[in-house]
């Protein structure tokens, strides 16, 4: 296999066990703050979007909410922050990150989550300093449904897409990263177990847990 030295990590479901937090955060926020009973599908739809896209989507669905899309995005981010920053790490995460760094790899973060949340959560697990940069969907201006997001990550790192590895747990992100030219590595995530077969079909490489990365890199 071609030698890669730059690895980009998704955060939710890959480094942090946060999928349960995202599973109904929008619905809970709407119910508690505005007494709106949103359908369960709302959170599943928002899960594939950036925070700003989710804010725009919710505002379109419920125009009676007296907040802008940007304010909605910020408020939902604040709503989940308290839970997020204390989220547990995925199995073996700290050991794998430290070992990859020790082997000389350059590590980066690519996420739809809020940068402050990610920084606090990874600092809680003492691994934040191992990552050279974080690239959020909000900063780049595209969600992971767009090739432009991954191209933007590569441009900011200063390395062609074809020389970057993307570690992901979601099929939609893998498909787009691969279109952009990244080497894609899929990681099994229990809340997406029903999509594992599809993940294996789409990724260049798949591992059942992060420890599997140490046999590849």
């Amino acid at each position: 296999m071609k030698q890669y030295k730059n690895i980009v990590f998704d955060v939710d479901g890959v480094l942090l066990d946060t999928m349960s937090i995202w599973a109904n955060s929008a619905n809970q926020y709407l119910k508690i703050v505005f007494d709106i009973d949103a359908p369960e599908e709302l959170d599943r739809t928002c899960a594939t979007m950036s925070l700003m896209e989710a804010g725009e989507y919710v505002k379109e669905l419920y125009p009676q909410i007296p907040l802008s899309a940007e304010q909605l995005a910020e408020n939902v981010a604040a709503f989940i922050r308290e839970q997020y920053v204390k989220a547990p790490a995925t199995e073996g995460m700290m050991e794998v990150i430290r070992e990859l760094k020790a082997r000389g790899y350059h590590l980066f973060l690519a996420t739809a989550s809020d940068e402050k949340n990610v920084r606090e959560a990874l600092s809680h697990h003492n691994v934040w300093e191992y990552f050279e940069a974080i690239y959020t969907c909000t900063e780049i201006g595209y969600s992971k449904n767009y090739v432009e997001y991954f191209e933007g990550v590569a441009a900011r790192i200063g390395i062609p897409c074809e020389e970057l590895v993307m570690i992901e747990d979601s099929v939609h992100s893998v498909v787009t990263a691969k279109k952009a030219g990244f080497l894609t590595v899929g990681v099994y995530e229990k809340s997406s177990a029903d999509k594992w077969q599809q993940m294996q079909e789409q990724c260049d490489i798949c591992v059942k847990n992060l420890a599997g990365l140490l046999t590849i890199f």
Side-chain angles (χ1 to χ4, degrees), residues 95-155:
E95 294 80 4
V96 170
I97 294 303
R98 290 170 183 147
E99 180 60 25
L100 289 173
K101 194 68 174 178
R103 294 181 184 185
Y105 288 95
H106 300 283
L107 310 180
F108 304 90
L109 299 166
T111 180
S113 291
D114 179 77
E115 179 177 345
K116 182 179 179 181
N117 289 357
V118 173
R119 181 173 66 250
E120 290 186 24
L122 293 181
S123 294
H124 177 72
H125 294 294
N126 299 309
V127 294
W128 171 255
E129 67 272 19
Y130 291 93
F131 297 94
E132 297 181 24
I134 180 172
Y135 306 104
T136 67
C137 294
T138 300
E139 174 210 345
I140 292 180
Y142 291 94
S143 72
K144 291 184 178 181
N145 291 313
Y146 295 88
V147 171
E148 288 87 348
Y149 171 78
F150 293 98
E151 291 174 340
V153 169

Side-chain angles (χ1 to χ4, degrees), residues 138-216:
T138 300
E139 174 210 345
I140 292 180
Y142 291 94
S143 72
K144 291 184 178 181
N145 291 313
Y146 295 88
V147 171
E148 288 87 348
Y149 171 78
F150 293 98
E151 291 174 340
V153 169
R156 284 161 172 76
I157 295 174
I159 294 174
C161 293
E162 292 74 18
E163 296 180 18
L164 292 167
V165 179
M166 186 69 220
I167 314 296
E168 272 284 358
D169 69 318
S170 60
V171 174
H172 78 275
S173 297
V174 159
V175 169
T176 316
K178 194 169 183 179
K179 283 181 181 177
F182 283 61
L183 178 76
T184 55
V185 179
V187 179
Y188 178 81
E189 204 287 314
K190 58 183 179 294
S191 70
S192 301
D194 60 326
K195 297 182 180 178
W196 181 236
Q197 181 61 42
Q198 188 179 358
M199 178 70 86
Q200 292 175 296
E201 293 168 357
Q202 294 293 337
C203 286
D204 295 303
I205 303 168
C206 276
V207 293
K208 290 290 286 185
N209 51 52
L210 284 181
L213 298 179
L214 299 181
T215 65
I216 301 169

